Amino acid sequence: MQNAVNEALTDIRVEPAGHLLGEVGLTHASWTHALEQLEATGRSIVPRGIPTHPAREVLTYRLQSTFGFLLDTAARFLESGGEEDAERTAHEARTIKALTVAPGLRHRREEAAPAGATRAELLDHRVTAEGNGFLALSVAELTAAIGPVRKARGQLPAVLPPDPAAFVVLWNRISAPGLILTGMNAAHTDEEHGAALLRSHLATAAQALVPGETHHEWR
């Protein structure tokens, strides 16, 4: 229903970070306080880290919304790089997947990996079969799986952290939650357009909530 789209996109705003500070200057303390004040109203922000300047655009949203928990867990994961936040992000992505794809594609597929598969194909199979499309993996495991140079098809964060103990979240199909995580990468790396790109990706992802729309995984 179109109401589902409207609900998913309600009260999502792209605005300069300075709007959240009022008359207070941008410091680590003032930004932390602004974030706490925002969260006290049931809202949060992407990215969570202190912006480089007050004019940088950020995206604010309601936590209790269709995409709110995925945005929140992904933003916290991009701050921490930790296993727990990575696992939570993958879980929330699977939850959105269940809302936006046909029933036959919602659950993991247990078929065996193809004979003679390459390392990249084996990783792709693991993301599908073990992660149901979204898999949290340490940098060390990812490097061992496909080598230090190659990049996974869908990866949060987009740039591999240098710490082997840090985690990434992988996905291997274009889907609503994959689009959102791609937008999260943009919001954290593109200071000029990242928040607007994330907003655009959220709008596209929300269309998959409408019955009869693109309820599948695009390869």
Side-chain angles (χ1 to χ4, degrees):
M1 296 171 61
Q2 191 61 39
N3 286 345
V5 176
N6 295 336
E7 195 282 332
L9 301 177
T10 295
D11 214 15
I12 291 177
R13 307 172 195 164
V14 173
E15 56 191 316
H19 283 185
L20 304 177
L21 298 169
E23 300 299 320
V24 181
L26 177 59
T27 66
H28 184 273
S30 67
W31 184 252
T32 300
H33 179 70
L35 180 56
E36 290 173 348
Q37 292 288 99
L38 188 66
E39 290 181 335
T41 67
R43 297 177 58 76
S44 195
I45 189 169
V46 174
R48 294 175 60 85
I50 183 170
T52 52
H53 52 83
R56 177 176 180 175
E57 288 190 334
V58 296
L59 182 138
T60 61
Y61 61 94
R62 286 192 298 113
L63 284 165
Q64 295 284 345
S65 61
T66 305
F67 299 140
F69 292 116
L70 177 57
L71 290 171
D72 184 56
T73 56
R76 291 177 186 276
F77 166 59
L78 285 169
E79 273 195 313
S80 71
E83 180 177 6
E84 185 175 350
D85 286 330
E87 293 285 3
R88 286 177 176 170
T89 300
H91 170 75
E92 293 299 337
R94 294 182 205 111
T95 300
I96 298 302
K97 176 183 175 182
L99 295 174
T100 55
V101 300
L105 293 172
R106 290 176 186 173
H107 304 294
R108 68 186 66 183
R109 304 161 195 162
E110 300 291 356
E111 68 266 21
T118 65
R119 290 198 297 175
E121 289 169 338
L122 289 171
L123 177 62
D124 181 81
H125 176 266
R126 184 177 174 189
V127 172
T128 300
E130 181 181 332
N132 192 18
F134 296 88
L135 181 67
L137 208 64
S138 73
V139 171
E141 288 179 286
L142 178 59
T143 301
I146 60 174
V149 178
R150 296 196 59 175
K151 182 181 180 298
R153 287 174 70 179
Q155 177 182 301
L156 184 78
V159 177
L160 202 64
D163 182 3
F167 272 71
V168 295
V169 174
L170 308 179
W171 62 97
N172 57 1
R173 301 289 184 272
I174 300 173
S175 61
L179 286 172
I180 294 170
L181 295 182
T182 299
M184 290 294 294
N185 273 326
H188 281 75
T189 58
D190 186 340
E191 292 198 6
E192 187 174 357
H193 305 295
L197 282 170
L198 174 56
R199 175 64 175 76
S200 176
H201 282 226
L202 289 166
T204 302
Q207 293 302 316
L209 297 166
V210 180
E213 294 293 331
T214 50
H215 283 215
H216 61 276
E217 296 173 300
W218 305 282
R219 293 178 181 270

